[in-house]
Amino acid sequence: MELDKGKEQFIECWTSMGSSWGINRTMAQIHAFLMASSRPMNTDEIMKGLSISRGNVNMNVRNLMEWGLVSKSTPNGGRKEYFEADKDVWQAARKMINMRRQTELEPVVGVLKGLRKVEGEGKEAEEFRDMMKSMYKLANRTNKALVRLEKNQDSAVLSVLSKMLK
Amino acid sequence: MELDKGKEQFIECWTSMGSSWGINRTMAQIHAFLMASSRPMNTDEIMKGLSISRGNVNMNVRNLMEWGLVSKSTPNGGRKEYFEADKDVWQAARKMINMRRQTELEPVVGVLKGLRKVEGEGKEAEEFRDMMKSMYKLANRTNKALVRLEKNQDSAVLSVLSKMLK
DNA sequence: TTCAATTTTCAGGAGAATTTGAAAACTCCA
DNA sequence: TGGAGTTTTCAAATTCTCCTGAAAATTGAA
């Protein structure tokens, strides 16, 4: 397969994965596009490359910067902004994991923590509390494991992990 | 907090988490509803409990069964079907992880594997191949780790994991 | 076989999320 | 300061996904 076809396939693949994980379609597209580019790209190049509007590029590129996956620069002292993806895949994965851990897992842990203590006497209440306890335990452990993962700079951590889980 | 309020909050929490992870809103709702119920529920009870239509219940309950998270029974020899969630939280988590690993991660691993070998000579092609190589490595390792996770019956695996990632 | 209870299907509707494009705002240089 | 180049905003349009509800199919009992 040729390079251009390869890039196209990569973008498509990354995009479809992103959308099934609740990540905005265009955001995934732009991220893949920048990951696959060998140099920083400006807004017009992204618009042309992916056939999307200026407003759309602007909004999603800003999101990607918030996630820390993309950075902006203005070479030649000009005003034109160029965008570049962090090419360290492991680093990028860690950022995505951490972003979602914070916004989505952590609040759940908090809610479950409270729900373990719900009032009531009978078998039904007892069972509910038990369920909340085991959910809390799982969510909390997962959260902690992901925090550790985030702090760890070494990508070898995954191979360690897979050895442990034999 | 009282039991009923607690169940409500749990359903809401589970639902919102589900939807940010690309899981159908109603599917998450029904799953939470059944997790929080102390006995199997029939279609009418689910409809009433969550204020959703019959068709919607039917479709999503079948999905949940496909995922292996919910099972059906017909007590009293009648035709009426009752649905019940698997109450083992760890088991349920493993099923969800595995389902998505198969349908979403595995195909990506395959694509990346091929893209490592994209044709072309210059620096650009070289860089692209390198990127695909490291992505493949990460995706493949993650996939393998998740397979091991799925095979492991013991929920203690997460505490092991968190000790490892110190 | 017939009938009533129940489940399943699916076309159309509703609502949510995304995208566009043009106007407004901003910024730097001459 | 004026103006061209560039970014940002946002209301409206579009697209997508999900849900409804009634009709059709299925099932078990009599």
Side-chain angles (χ1 to χ4, degrees):
Chain A
M1 189 189 306
E2 283 178 24
L3 182 59
D4 285 354
K5 278 284 166 206
K7 286 190 180 181
E8 230 171 82
Q9 195 184 342
F10 171 65
I11 292 173
E12 187 194 319
C13 161
W14 198 242
T15 302
S16 91
M17 177 160 212
S19 34
S20 63
W21 285 88
I23 287 166
N24 182 297
R25 179 175 189 73
T26 312
M27 191 164 143
Q29 259 180 304
I30 296 178
H31 186 226
F33 181 74
L34 293 176
M35 293 281 271
S37 302
S38 59
R39 59 179 181 79
M41 294 283 173
N42 64 37
T43 301
D44 291 274
E45 288 169 327
I46 300 174
M47 287 170 64
K48 188 141 172 294
L50 299 171
S51 313
I52 56 184
S53 74
R54 185 173 302 282
N56 203 2
V57 170
N58 186 271
M59 147 165 300
N60 285 291
V61 128
R62 267 182 306 122
N63 264 324
L64 285 165
M65 288 192 293
E66 267 177 37
W67 283 48
L69 298 173
V70 162
S71 59
K72 172 166 71 173
S73 59
T74 53
N76 322 322
R79 260 186 81 213
K80 199 159 219 155
E81 298 175 333
Y82 284 77
F83 304 96
E84 181 171 25
D86 181 352
K87 292 289 184 13
D88 181 335
V89 174
W90 171 244
Q91 182 83 348
R94 278 180 39 234
K95 281 176 184 166
M96 291 189 250
I97 289 169
N98 198 50
M99 171 68 77
R100 306 201 69 171
R101 184 189 62 72
Q102 276 183 297
T103 61
E104 289 151 23
L105 183 54
E106 223 152 54
V108 170
V109 173
V111 172
L112 292 172
K113 188 170 190 168
L115 289 174
R116 291 174 312 168
K117 309 263 169 73
V118 89
E119 287 162 27
E121 300 266 315
K123 167 172 162 284
E124 203 187 346
E126 207 58 69
E127 279 180 10
F128 183 77
R129 281 192 291 266
D130 284 348
M131 160 117 324
M132 293 305 107
K133 276 177 203 161
S134 47
M135 284 209 155
Y136 169 72
K137 207 165 146 187
L138 178 60
N140 194 38
R141 279 181 177 176
T142 305
N143 188 46
K144 282 184 175 157
L146 293 177
V147 170
R148 299 244 169 89
L149 198 64
E150 202 256 329
K151 285 184 183 153
N152 196 314
Q153 295 294 333
D154 183 0
S155 81
V157 72
L158 269 182
S159 71
V160 170
L161 194 153
S162 61
K163 273 173 204 151
M164 281 308 298
L165 303 173
K166 57 172 170 289
Chain B
M1 187 189 306
E2 283 179 24
L3 183 58
D4 285 353
K5 278 285 167 206
K7 285 191 179 181
E8 230 170 83
Q9 195 183 344
F10 171 64
I11 293 174
E12 188 194 317
C13 160
W14 200 242
T15 302
S16 89
M17 177 163 213
S19 33
S20 62
W21 286 89
I23 286 166
N24 183 297
R25 178 173 189 74
T26 312
M27 192 162 142
Q29 258 181 306
I30 297 178
H31 187 227
F33 181 74
L34 294 176
M35 293 280 272
S37 303
S38 59
R39 59 179 179 79
M41 295 283 173
N42 64 38
T43 302
D44 291 275
E45 289 168 326
I46 300 173
M47 286 170 64
K48 189 143 171 294
L50 299 172
S51 314
I52 55 183
S53 73
R54 185 174 302 283
N56 202 4
V57 171
N58 185 272
M59 147 165 300
N60 284 291
V61 129
R62 267 182 305 123
N63 264 325
L64 286 165
M65 289 192 292
E66 266 176 38
W67 284 46
L69 298 173
V70 162
S71 59
K72 173 165 70 172
S73 60
T74 54
N76 324 320
R79 251 189 92 206
K80 198 157 220 154
E81 297 174 334
Y82 284 76
F83 304 96
E84 182 171 23
D86 182 351
K87 292 293 184 11
D88 181 335
V89 174
W90 171 244
Q91 181 84 347
R94 277 180 40 233
K95 281 176 182 165
M96 291 188 251
I97 289 169
N98 198 50
M99 171 67 75
R100 306 200 71 172
R101 184 190 62 73
Q102 275 182 295
T103 61
E104 289 150 25
L105 182 55
E106 224 153 53
V108 170
V109 173
V111 172
L112 293 173
K113 189 172 189 166
L115 288 174
R116 291 174 311 167
K117 308 264 167 71
V118 90
E119 288 163 25
E121 301 266 313
K123 169 172 164 283
E124 202 187 346
E126 207 58 69
E127 280 180 9
F128 183 77
R129 281 191 292 265
D130 284 347
M131 161 116 323
M132 293 304 109
K133 276 176 201 161
S134 48
M135 283 209 157
Y136 169 72
K137 207 164 145 187
L138 178 61
N140 194 38
R141 279 180 178 177
T142 306
N143 188 45
K144 283 184 175 159
L146 294 176
V147 169
R148 299 244 170 89
L149 198 65
E150 201 256 329
K151 285 183 184 154
N152 196 314
Q153 295 293 332
D154 183 359
S155 80
V157 74
L158 269 182
S159 70
V160 169
L161 195 152
S162 58
K163 274 172 203 152
M164 281 309 298
L165 303 172
K166 59 172 167 291

